[in-house]
Amino acid sequence: MKTLRAWGPVIVASFALAACGGGGGSGGGTGSTGTGTPPPVSGTVSGTAVKGPVAGATVTAYGITNGTMGAQIATATTDAQGNFSLSMGTYAGPVMLQMAGGTYVDEASGISMPMLGGDVMTAVLPPMSAGAGVSGIQLTPLTSMAQSMAQRMSGGMTEANISTANSAVGAFYMVNDILHTAPMNPLVSGSGNAASQDTISYGMTLAAMSQLARMQGMSSSSAMITAMMNDASDGLMDGRMAGSPVMMGGMGTGTMMPSTAGTGALANAMGTFMASTQNHSGVAAATMQQLMNKLNGSSGQMMGAGGPMANGTIGGTAFNGAMTQGTVTAYAISGGARGAQLATAATDAQGAFMMSLGAYTGPVMLQVSNGTYRDEATGTTMSMGSDVMTAVMTTIATGTNVTGIWVTPMTSMAQARANAMAGGMTDSNIAAANTAVGNFFMMGDILHTTCVDPAINGSGGGATQDQRNCGIVIAAMSQYAQGLGMTSSMGFVTSMMSDATDGMMDGRMGGNQIQMGGGMMGGGMGGGMMQGNAATTGLATAMTNFMGSTMNHSGLTAADMNALIQKLAASNGSL
């Protein structure tokens, strides 16, 4: 039902038009003095992002079509108190909100923290009417867990599943309405004195998540939100997602989520927080005893979760040399461009990842950020810094379990190429770009080929030629970066992505020579500009040099790679 605020402008406009057109015999004319149809009223969605209030964050609203995330409708930035307001135009239907970026004051430490890259908060709202004013929406870790659950339920984010998931998460943590109840901020003195039990339970649950993150050694408690979302996606809080352990980010290592993180361990963290000096709310532990007892005795089954879950998952390995501590984020692709974030997961110590896509159907883009890797040419551990690796896949059907995906410098080049093609990342462009980059490096399938790691003794012995080519190309990129004096070989990967965008590996992007990053010495190799033969003869030479170096433990020789070396040396750079 529309609110008075939503209808008010229509009523005022109708009276104004009647006053102008009355009594003159113009009747129902549609001219400037007639009583034509009033302009449509723009709907709004407003509320507050709370993980502690999140300031300076970007909140984006998406439509939901057939249970899956649809087109972007609006975006806004939160103020210092986490408030936001989105202009929804004439949109009617269910809504998904997603918040990224920004900073918040962590309850357990009192320290201002940024939302880490790849960590988001989300919420799903039941259908709104065109022109309606929807206010007081709370965007929190609990609404994020409910959105993750609804997305993975059979049929996806339908109206029924949205209602079920929001109710289930609320009942589990004893909050009657997670969308409209404003959480108490326990960092504010006396904030619990006149608060309702729902408000207190909400605020203390969020503070307990912060406390648990601190007890787990996380550098940022935003990573706990992501872990809780992944755990909740299958309706069972047991530290697992679709049968696979949830990996915890923000800890410096790939660590599995405790099975009781959402239940008994959270109750323990709640008690610890309430007894700490950070609790300024005035709320005593006895006030939270019922919830703590409930969590301690819980099996983890979300009340009312009901219904089968869609089993769509995606898993694989990030590799630029052995990687760890990375964040892998899956994005929907809409209209050929990167859309909303679908899921995120931390890699384990071997670069492996697994995440739930719920009921999503469509092409998918993966992005690896943060993390460290063992550089093949030097053997040193390097940080990804601000550089990323990516991969892009053609349409995935609802409930599909996609495994064995490799995210590498080559898949990153293909994603950059597909994104730059006319129409962007459509299925046909994705397939064409993946094939083109594979052909350039003599690999049949860049998405599913397991890369040889030449840092491992004898790793090339039983490998296929595609697997050898995959690993040695990465090593050659590392060798080339070392020759340039780069402090991070990821800078060269980023340059290769830029070079691939126009389909011609010639050191240029759109006619402009590429500026090399990665801490390159300014005077070396053209003063930091990418050389025109970097991806062809330059890479062939680097590959030969690596094969003869002491860093090559694969057991392979230059002769084993001769066909690819000769191909690169003779190439004109065309993908």
Side-chain angles (χ1 to χ4, degrees):
M1 183 176 69
K2 298 182 190 293
T3 64
L4 181 59
R5 177 181 298 179
W7 279 109
V10 179
I11 296 169
V12 172
S14 298
F15 280 133
L17 285 167
C20 290
S26 59
T30 56
S32 60
T33 60
T35 57
T37 303
V41 178
S42 178
T44 59
V45 172
S46 60
T48 309
V50 184
K51 205 278 161 234
V54 187
T58 300
V59 180
T60 305
Y62 296 90
I64 295 175
T65 304
N66 296 324
T68 62
M69 183 275 303
Q72 178 176 318
I73 302 169
T75 187
T77 302
T78 61
D79 65 15
Q81 288 73 47
N83 299 316
F84 63 88
S85 183
L86 296 152
S87 179
M88 303 294 288
T90 58
Y91 176 79
V95 176
M96 174 179 161
L97 301 179
Q98 185 174 91
M99 187 218 78
T103 58
Y104 61 94
V105 177
D106 178 67
E107 295 97 333
S109 65
I111 297 172
S112 179
M113 292 183 176
M115 288 286 292
L116 295 181
D119 295 329
V120 299
M121 293 199 303
T122 56
V124 277
L125 283 58
M128 64 179 291
S129 301
V134 179
S135 60
I137 296 298
Q138 304 298 304
L139 185 54
T140 73
L142 295 192
T143 65
S144 304
M145 293 165 66
Q147 181 274 319
S148 180
M149 183 192 297
Q151 176 178 301
R152 195 164 180 269
M153 293 173 73
S154 181
M157 295 179 286
T158 63
E159 182 177 356
N161 287 348
I162 289 170
S163 176
T164 295
N166 284 330
S167 296
V169 174
F172 195 80
Y173 294 108
M174 298 180 70
V175 180
N176 185 55
D177 183 353
I178 61 174
L179 280 179
H180 298 95
T181 300
M184 175 195 70
N185 186 347
L187 299 182
V188 176
S189 294
S191 55
N193 291 343
S196 68
Q197 186 62 53
D198 274 11
T199 295
I200 293 172
S201 296
Y202 210 155
M204 283 303 179
T205 298
L206 303 190
M209 289 183 184
S210 172
Q211 186 70 44
L212 182 59
R214 190 178 191 192
M215 293 163 70
Q216 290 290 317
M218 289 182 166
S219 59
S220 172
S221 54
S222 73
M224 182 59 76
I225 303 171
T226 298
M228 289 286 189
M229 290 175 68
N230 287 335
D231 195 4
S233 64
D234 58 5
L236 181 64
M237 301 301 294
D238 61 352
R240 303 177 71 84
M241 175 181 64
S244 299
V246 173
M247 302 307 298
M248 305 274 277
M251 297 182 68
T253 57
T255 303
M256 291 188 296
M257 187 180 193
S259 61
T260 60
T263 55
L266 193 65
N268 180 54
M270 188 177 294
T272 301
F273 175 81
M274 295 193 69
S276 74
T277 57
Q278 286 297 116
N279 178 20
H280 299 281
S281 67
V283 175
T287 305
M288 298 305 303
Q289 196 62 52
Q290 184 179 1
L291 176 56
M292 288 191 286
N293 289 345
K294 179 180 185 296
L295 292 174
N296 274 319
S298 176
S299 66
Q301 181 67 53
M302 292 281 190
M303 288 185 292
M309 295 288 181
N311 293 320
T313 60
I314 188 166
T317 305
F319 187 79
N320 185 39
M323 300 192 70
T324 189
Q325 305 175 29
T327 298
V328 184
T329 306
Y331 294 95
I333 295 175
S334 179
R338 191 183 86 175
Q341 179 174 318
L342 297 171
T344 186
T347 66
D348 67 11
Q350 288 74 47
F353 63 90
M354 172 67 74
M355 66 185 82
S356 171
L357 296 181
Y360 175 75
T361 296
V364 175
M365 174 182 160
L366 299 178
Q367 180 175 284
V368 180
S369 58
N370 306 317
T372 60
Y373 62 97
R374 185 186 186 279
D375 182 64
E376 301 287 13
T378 64
T380 60
T381 298
M382 294 184 175
S383 170
M384 290 188 71
S386 60
D387 296 310
V388 300
M389 293 196 305
T390 56
V392 66
M393 287 157 283
T394 54
T395 293
I396 294 172
T398 297
T400 301
N401 295 312
V402 180
T403 60
I405 296 295
W406 283 69
V407 186
T408 69
M410 288 76 80
T411 64
S412 304
M413 293 168 63
Q415 182 275 320
R417 174 61 185 141
N419 189 57
M421 295 170 72
M425 293 179 285
T426 62
D427 274 354
S428 59
N429 286 348
I430 290 168
N434 284 332
T435 298
V437 173
N439 290 340
F440 191 83
F441 293 114
M442 298 181 69
M443 295 168 56
D445 183 352
I446 61 174
L447 284 176
H448 296 93
T449 297
T450 300
C451 301
V452 160
D453 186 350
I456 298 175
N457 289 332
S459 55
T464 66
Q465 192 61 50
D466 276 13
Q467 292 169 341
R468 295 174 177 180
N469 290 352
C470 183
I472 299 301
V473 166
I474 293 171
M477 291 185 188
S478 170
Q479 186 73 39
Y480 190 90
Q482 183 193 33
L484 295 181
M486 286 183 165
T487 56
S488 170
S489 55
M490 272 302 305
F492 184 62
V493 174
T494 299
S495 297
M496 291 286 276
M497 291 173 67
S498 297
D499 199 2
T501 56
D502 57 8
M504 179 62 71
M505 303 300 296
D506 58 358
R508 305 177 73 84
M509 179 176 65
N512 298 314
Q513 195 168 5
I514 296 167
Q515 179 73 42
M516 301 277 277
M520 183 178 174
M521 302 298 292
M525 295 293 289
M529 305 303 288
M530 189 176 191
Q531 296 298 291
N533 65 350
T536 53
T537 56
L539 200 62
T541 299
M543 188 174 293
T544 302
N545 292 339
F546 176 81
M547 299 306 292
S549 76
T550 58
M551 298 306 298
N552 176 21
H553 300 280
S554 67
L556 301 174
T557 66
D560 295 310
M561 301 303 300
N562 187 62
L564 179 55
I565 291 171
Q566 294 301 318
K567 181 180 187 299
L568 292 173
S571 175
N572 66 359
S574 177
L575 287 177

